[in-house]
Amino acid sequence: SDLEALEPLLDDGWHLSMSESVVKGHAGVGVLSRMEPTAVRVGFGSDEFDSTGRYLEADLETGVGAVTVASLYLPKGAAAPTESSSEKDAQKYAEKKRFLDGFGAHLGSLARKRRPVVVGGDWNIAHAEHDIKNWKGNQKNSGFLPEEREWIGKVIHTLGWTDMWRTLYPDNPGYTWWSNRGQAYAKDVGWRIDYQMVTPELAAKAVSAHVYKDEKFSDHAPLVVEYDYVAE
C-alpha cells in the first residue's frame, strides 16, 4: 500500500500526519515532515467535509520560526447543471460549491493570522488559459468553469495568497495533471491544478520550483518548491 511505501522514511525519523477519509475510495491527505508537528488540525470546521480526508494542517516550529504546512484535496465537482444533467453530476457540482464557500472563508481567516503558511495539493481548478493546454474545449467542464476560476482569482487577489508556481514562472505552463485517455501525457496535453498557495512572508523566501517528472506515480506529478527559510 501507499503507507507501506513510506515505512523506510518513517523508520528514518520522518513524521506522518494523516487525515483519512470515511468515503470509500478516497485515500485522504497527509503531511510528511522531518520534525514532529507541534499541532495537527484535521479539516477546516466543516461538519460535511472534515471527515472526508480533504484537508489537514500541521504546525512546525523550525529553528527560525513557525510555519504551517497544509495538505488539500479539493473536490473534482462536475459541469454546471443543465436540464439534461444527471442527479449525480448536479450533486457533485453543488458539493464543490459548498466546499469552495467554506474553504474560502477558512483561507481568509488563515491569512489574517499572519503566520507563514503553505497550502499544497490538488486544488482541482485551472486558473487561467495558460494553465491548461486545451482551454477552448474545456470552458464548460469541471475544473475550468468560470465560477471556479473566479474563486481561485479571489484567493489570490482578494485574500492575498501567492500562487507560487505562477509567481516564479509567469510564462511556463507548469502542468501537473494529464488525463489517462489517449496520449495526453506523451503529448503534454495537461492541466495545472496542483498548487502551493503561500502567505506573503513565506512566498518571499521561495527560490525555485519544478514539476517532478523523473518518475510517474499517477496521473498527477508532484510540484516541488524550494524555500530559503533560514535565519538572516
Side-chain angles (χ1 to χ4, degrees), residues 57-94:
E57 295 174 357
D59 291 343
L60 305 174
E61 297 295 333
T62 73
V64 293
V67 63
T68 295
V69 179
S71 182
L72 171 70
Y73 174 34
L74 200 146
K76 181 179 180 180
T82 64
E83 291 183 357
S84 60
S85 297
S86 69
E87 182 179 349
K88 183 178 180 180
D89 282 347
Q91 290 174 347
K92 286 183 176 180
Y93 176 87

Side-chain angles (χ1 to χ4, degrees), residues 183-201:
Q183 296 293 314
Y185 187 80
K187 296 179 180 179
D188 201 28
V189 181
W191 297 50
R192 189 175 75 92
I193 57 175
D194 298 272
Y195 298 80
Q196 287 194 25
M197 289 290 188
V198 189
T199 50
E201 178 185 346

